[in-house]
Amino acid sequence: MLGIYPAALAQTETHPIVHKPLKVGIQTAPPFAFKQNDVWRGLSIELWQAMAKRMDQPYTYVPFQSLAQLLEAAEQGEVDLVVGAISITPE
């Protein structure tokens, strides 16, 4: 799941778009997101990196130990978006 909060990108009259570094919440979930030799890799990571590159958007990864922590951080606005394997369930 990828979700970007629009407030992370500010637009003004004199500067079309100001790219603030986004805080990207992630959690280990192979093959979607995992660390290999201290570098984050995986299907979701590659997709996010391609999107960020296309938008010329700087970012930093914020790792979480559990999916519950990751989703709570997104809900509380501690991260701008989350990247990884997230399923939609009735809960």
Side-chain angles (χ1 to χ4, degrees):
M1 176 177 124
L2 295 174
I4 300 176
Y5 294 94
L9 301 175
Q11 187 167 357
T12 66
E13 289 181 26
T14 56
H15 301 287
I17 296 180
V18 177
H19 292 282
K20 295 181 356 183
L22 295 177
K23 292 181 276 181
V24 179
I26 53 176
Q27 180 217 1
T28 299
F32 302 99
F34 58 93
K35 249 188 169 177
Q36 184 178 49
N37 300 325
D38 281 338
V39 176
W40 283 99
R41 301 194 184 280
L43 301 170
S44 296
I45 299 297
E46 290 174 18
L47 175 61
W48 164 248
Q49 289 173 342
M51 291 171 58
K53 182 177 180 179
R54 185 176 177 114
M55 295 182 300
D56 193 28
Q57 177 63 57
Y59 61 90
T60 58
Y61 289 127
V62 181
F64 289 89
Q65 295 297 315
S66 71
L67 180 58
Q69 291 174 332
L70 178 65
L71 296 177
E72 178 70 19
E75 197 172 290
Q76 297 298 317
E78 296 171 19
V79 295
D80 299 303
L81 64 118
V82 297
V83 173
I86 300 173
S87 299
I88 298 173
T89 65
E91 296 88 44

